[in-house]
Every structure is written in C-alpha cells, then in structure tokens.
Amino acid sequence: MSAPILFISDLHLSPADPATTAAFHAFLQGPARNASALYILGDLFEFWIGDDGLDEAFNAEIVAAIAQLAEQKIAVFFLAGNRDFLPGQRFADAARLTILNDPSLVQLFGQNVLIAHGDALCTDDLAYQRFRLIVRHPWVQSLFLALPRRWRLAQVEKLRARSKESNQMKRSDVMDVNTAAVASLMQQHHVQTLIHGHTHRPAQHMLPQGQRWVLPDWYQGKGGYLCVQASGISMHQLDGRAF
Ligand code: LP5
Ligand code: MN
C-alpha cells in the first residue's frame, strides 16, 4: 500500500504560541513520518519577512525540523500564505523543501488536485485583494526586503494591528471564499478536487464540479491535517481522531 500524502496550513507558528510549536514538532515526528509527502499550504509562520529570519533561533529550529523529513525521503512542498509569501531559496534550501506557485496542480494517486492557500479566492474582500495586489508586486517586495529587518518588523506589527482591526468590521461571509471564484478556478484547471486553507473553516464541501476541502488552522496546540490516500481523503485532528 502506498504511503499517505499529508496537507497542513495556517499554523501561524511563533514564539508566542509554544503549544502549537510543540504540536508541530510532534506532528513531524508522528504522522508525517508515515507519509510519502507533506504539503504546507501557507501560513506556516505567523509571518515571514525575509530569509534573514533564519538567523533567529525559533525559525532555525522549525526549519531544521522540517529538513529532517528529507532524511527520511519524505518530500516537502511549501506554497505561500498571506502571512509568509516572502520565503526565498535560502529558506527552501535550509528546510530542504520545494516552493510551489499558488495555485498549483498536483497529481495524487492518479487524480489531478488543485492546491492553494485560499486567500486569492476571497474575492468579496476587496480591501484585502487591494492590499494583496500591492504586497505581491515584485518591486514592492524587493524594496521591502532591502530595508533593515528592524524596520520590516515594525511594519508587520502595524499591518497586523490594522488587519485585526479591519477584520472585526468585516462580515464573516466576506472573509470566506467566493463560490463563483472557486467554480471558475476549478473549471479553468479541469479539476474535481480543490484543497486550500486560510479561512479557518475546516470542512469538506460537495460542489456540482467536485469537492473542496478546507484545512483546519492550528492554535494553542490544537490543529489537524488532511490525509490523501489511494482509498480516499480524510481530515484528522492532531490526536488522530477524524474531524
Ligand atoms: O492575517 P489574517 O488572517 O488576520 O487576515 C488576513 C488579511 N490580512 C492580511 C494582513 C496580514 O495579517 C499582515 C501580516 C503580513 C505579514 C507579511 C507582510 C510583509 C509585507 C510585505 C510587503 C512587500 O493578510 C485580511 C483578510 C483576512 O485574512 C481574511 O481573508 O481580511 O486582510 C486585511 O486585513 C487587509 C485590510 O483589509 C487592508 C489593510 C490595509 C493596509 C494598507 C497598507 C498597504 C501598504 C503596505 C506595504 C508594506
Ligand atoms: Mn492565511
């Protein structure tokens, strides 16, 4: 029987949430060891503002733990979230993973599956999409990365405060994916399965064109993962129980 392929996202790892960091290490030592591949669909970190983050002990430990999977011949893939879209080759090399585009088409047990972080599908959130356009511009990113890390950290603090404030004003449905955007993306890529995170609304949605799996977020040591096997797809909590 072939080994499962696992999907996680939205861990938002930071020194401020040691229980989730411990849960991630346990996941890497546990379920991930029995997998043939691990896909990280964004927001692994609370934020990533340049590969000089590797010089910080907390980040270096996370990255070294991921790199250990390569020793076991477990392939690791990373796709950008809205908090960590700035990892570069230094990060990829240190974690021994492959960075994928968002969205990406992957073949899992002979089936075409589309994977994405999910933020680009929240098309009703116009303020976020405007923000996204700015920060995903290569020139803006080059300029940002060229500035001192202390300055970058200060900007993130301001952006996080602004984001929290603006999210409180937004209607809940505005911050979910737009169903027409989902349908059109799935049609464009000719897939019947979409896997994404970002919305923190773990679920399996049955759609006219197939199925949409939404990954759980991790918080205070709780979280989960999606397990794709030849026999089917299932969502699990970290203790192994089905969602
Ligand atoms: O993150 P989360 O889940 O709380 O909310 C998201 C959206 N918010 C964000 C902002 C991030 O949280 C901020 C931290 C990013 C870290 C890396 C940034 C490095 C900057 C790099 C520059 C090249 O993504 C939130 C969504 C929500 O998901 C649900 O989908 O609603 O969107 C917002 O809050 C955006 C606001 O509505 C608009 C913010 C305006 C800020 C204007 C500044 C623009 C210029 C910035 C240039 C540095
Ligand atoms: Mn996100």
Side-chain angles (χ1 to χ4, degrees):
M1 216 176 70
S2 5
I5 299 172
L6 305 186
F7 291 79
I8 55 171
S9 73
D10 300 280
L11 287 77
H12 305 126
L13 296 176
S14 87
D17 185 357
T20 298
T21 305
F24 181 54
H25 283 292
F27 170 77
L28 293 177
Q29 297 291 332
R33 293 282 155 148
N34 300 319
S36 61
L38 171 66
Y39 285 81
I40 304 170
L41 301 191
D43 288 2
L44 171 66
F45 295 101
E46 176 71 358
F47 57 80
W48 190 267
I49 50 168
D51 286 358
D52 48 3
L54 288 165
D55 303 334
E56 288 173 11
F58 176 82
N59 294 328
E61 268 173 41
I62 299 290
V63 164
I66 296 172
Q68 280 183 13
L69 292 182
E71 298 289 327
Q72 319 285 320
K73 306 267 180 288
I74 300 162
V76 183
F77 301 93
F78 175 88
L79 170 156
N82 59 300
R83 306 282 195 88
D84 51 10
F85 52 85
L86 288 171
Q89 200 52 47
R90 190 183 155 204
F91 165 82
D93 291 344
R96 300 181 66 180
L97 54 72
T98 305
I99 298 182
L100 301 175
N101 290 329
D102 179 13
S104 276
L105 190 63
V106 292
Q107 270 240 334
L108 308 175
F109 303 105
Q111 297 264 351
N112 280 336
V113 173
L114 196 66
I115 56 174
H117 179 59
D119 57 323
L121 292 165
C122 300
T123 53
D124 295 327
D125 192 345
L126 298 177
Y128 172 66
Q129 294 303 334
R130 274 196 297 270
F131 169 76
R132 191 177 192 274
L133 262 181
I134 298 170
V135 297
R136 297 301 178 98
H137 197 291
W139 290 0
V140 176
Q141 294 189 357
S142 303
L143 180 64
F144 182 81
L145 290 172
L147 289 159
R149 185 164 180 90
R150 256 214 339 224
W151 183 87
R152 279 177 275 146
L153 280 168
Q155 303 317 303
V156 169
E157 222 168 282
K158 283 187 214 159
L159 283 173
R160 287 293 306 127
R162 203 141 157 202
S163 178
K164 279 182 197 157
E165 198 185 332
S166 82
N167 288 6
Q168 277 167 7
M169 320 276 281
K170 288 177 192 169
R171 278 201 342 248
S172 164
D173 59 326
V174 165
M175 290 192 284
D176 202 353
V177 298
N178 174 291
T179 46
V182 167
S184 131
L185 188 73
M186 289 178 75
Q187 259 158 27
Q188 190 189 326
H189 292 275
H190 309 288
V191 291
Q192 291 176 347
T193 308
L194 169 68
I195 303 173
H196 71 81
H198 181 66
T199 60
H200 305 184
R201 302 171 202 222
Q204 176 191 15
H205 295 277
M206 300 311 292
L207 311 169
Q209 61 275 30
Q211 51 182 330
R212 173 169 75 91
W213 288 90
V214 188
L215 301 173
D217 58 311
W218 296 33
Y219 183 61
Q220 292 185 347
K222 294 202 166 56
Y225 58 94
L226 194 76
C227 176
V228 180
Q229 290 174 288
S231 54
I233 305 181
S234 51
M235 187 122 67
H236 301 265
Q237 299 185 36
L238 289 176
D239 58 16
R241 282 185 293 151
F243 248 93

